[in-house]
Each structure stands twice: as C-alpha cells, then as structure tokens.
Amino acid sequence: MDGGLENALREGWSSACQLYGHLHAGGELAALPPGAVRLNPGEVAYADTMLGYARFYGTTVTYERNSTFLLGSAAFVAAGMAATAIANSSAKQRAAAQAAAQWRDHATVRTILTNQRLMCDYRNRWLSFWHNGVTELQGDVTQWLFVLRYEVGDPIMLHGPAAPWLMVSIAHLVYGPGGLQLPGLAALPRSIAEATHQRAIGNGT
C-alpha cells in the first residue's frame, strides 16, 4: 500500500474514533468557518473533503442487430445464419449486462457535509443529497465506505480515508444519538476500547 494512502487511512480512522467518542459522550459536531460555497439560511457545514463517489442505477443500452444476406449452398447459408444469430445473441447479452443496475459515475469528488445535506461536486456540478430524504445508511467503516439510500433518487456510495468520519457524522445527524449504534460503526467503539486498554497496560494500571 502507498505510504501516503496508509497514513491518510490511519489518520481517518483516528479522527473517526475521536469523533465517535466525542458524540457518544454527548458532544456535538463542530462547524467549519464560512466558505465560498453558498449555503441556505441556517445551514452549517461540518466537513469539506475529497471522497470516492458512485451512484447505483440501470440505464438503456442499444445495440445493432446484424442481418446478413447470404447466397450459396444450403449448408453455407445455414452456417452463415447460425453465425449471425450467435453474434446477435452476444451483442444482446452485452447490452443487457451494460444496462443492468450497477455502480456507475465513479469519480473522486469534493464533498461538503452540512446539517441539511451532503453536497458532491460531480463534473463541476454541485449535487445535493438531503438528510431528510434518507431511508437507510449502510456501510462498514473497516472497509472505508458507506452507502446512502433515499426515498427518491439513486443510492450514493462514498469511500476513502474520510469515509468513517463522514459515516459517524451522518449517522448522528440522520438518526440522532441512536445512530451511533448502527452495525456499520461497531468497529469504532471496539477500537476505542482496545486503545484504552493498551494505554492502561502501558501506564501499569
């Protein structure tokens, strides 16, 4: 693993553990200073970072169906028709696979978390994903990713060193204090407990 990435992952994990402990103790998210991106009245930003991004959806894919005119013996024509049918079937299967629902639009995007939404700068266009439309938060901080599903719109996946911190924050914003008990965050309190135990051993207590 690249040394820079390894350090970023380690720092991301540490910051997620610190935030988890802070929120679990009754703390609140700290607001960022005002920035150049215009927010709504009463909207407060908590994070501004880069994350991997993707959306899950299907699409329509067209393909050209070959129609070959053949002259010759019956065997030659039959063989040609079979080859054309196989080619058309393969093209149809490729088109179906490309059209199936899957993760698309992969990119690295600037992401801003506020008390109202996630903002992702995808291809120089700010996209808003509102917290009040969230129906499910899935993910695993040990895999450095999470997925948000909404009442309306396609699921969004975000991943990278900052993902654990963002997942903790979103769980707190969307679900309240109970959000810290989501299964995808379970590794954080375990990590905090292990670190506390190691410090106690190191201090001889």
Side-chain angles (χ1 to χ4, degrees), residues 11-22 164-165 168 187-189 191-192:
E11 291 174 4
W13 185 263
S14 177
S15 66
C17 288
Q18 292 173 13
L19 178 63
Y20 186 98
H22 173 69
W165 192 98
V168 173
L188 292 173
S191 181
I192 293 170

Side-chain angles (χ1 to χ4, degrees), residues 47-186:
D48 187 341
T49 188
M50 301 299 293
L51 285 167
Y53 163 99
R55 302 291 300 282
F56 190 83
Y57 62 92
T59 188
T60 300
V61 176
T62 60
Y63 70 98
E64 292 187 5
R65 183 179 178 85
N66 292 325
S67 181
T68 305
F69 180 73
L70 299 169
L71 291 175
S73 67
F76 174 79
V77 171
M81 291 178 64
T84 299
I86 292 172
N88 286 334
S89 178
S90 297
K92 183 178 180 180
Q93 290 176 3
R94 286 195 301 271
Q98 292 170 3
Q102 57 190 282
W103 289 108
R104 304 175 184 273
D105 303 340
H106 294 274
T108 299
V109 301
R110 181 185 175 189
T111 302
I112 297 176
L113 172 68
T114 80
N115 58 332
Q116 298 180 11
R117 56 182 162 164
L118 272 170
M119 301 175 65
C120 295
D121 186 3
Y122 176 68
R123 294 184 177 177
N124 293 317
R125 178 187 175 195
W126 282 108
L127 303 178
S128 293
F129 304 93
W130 300 91
H131 300 328
N132 60 8
V134 172
T135 58
E136 189 174 11
L137 170 60
Q138 300 176 331
D140 184 348
V141 289
T142 65
Q143 300 301 313
W144 310 94
L145 66 82
F146 62 90
V147 174
L148 284 162
R149 297 176 64 188
Y150 294 84
E151 293 178 7
V152 178
D154 303 314
I156 176 176
M157 176 172 63
L158 295 170
H159 58 91
W165 192 98
L166 265 290
M167 187 175 177
V168 173
S169 301
I170 294 169
H172 178 73
L173 289 167
V174 173
Y175 296 89
L180 297 180
Q181 306 306 315
L182 289 175
L185 301 177

Side-chain angles (χ1 to χ4, degrees), residues 33-53:
V37 177
R38 184 168 175 258
L39 303 177
N40 293 326
E43 188 173 14
V44 179
Y46 299 122
D48 187 341
T49 188
M50 301 299 293
L51 285 167
Y53 163 99

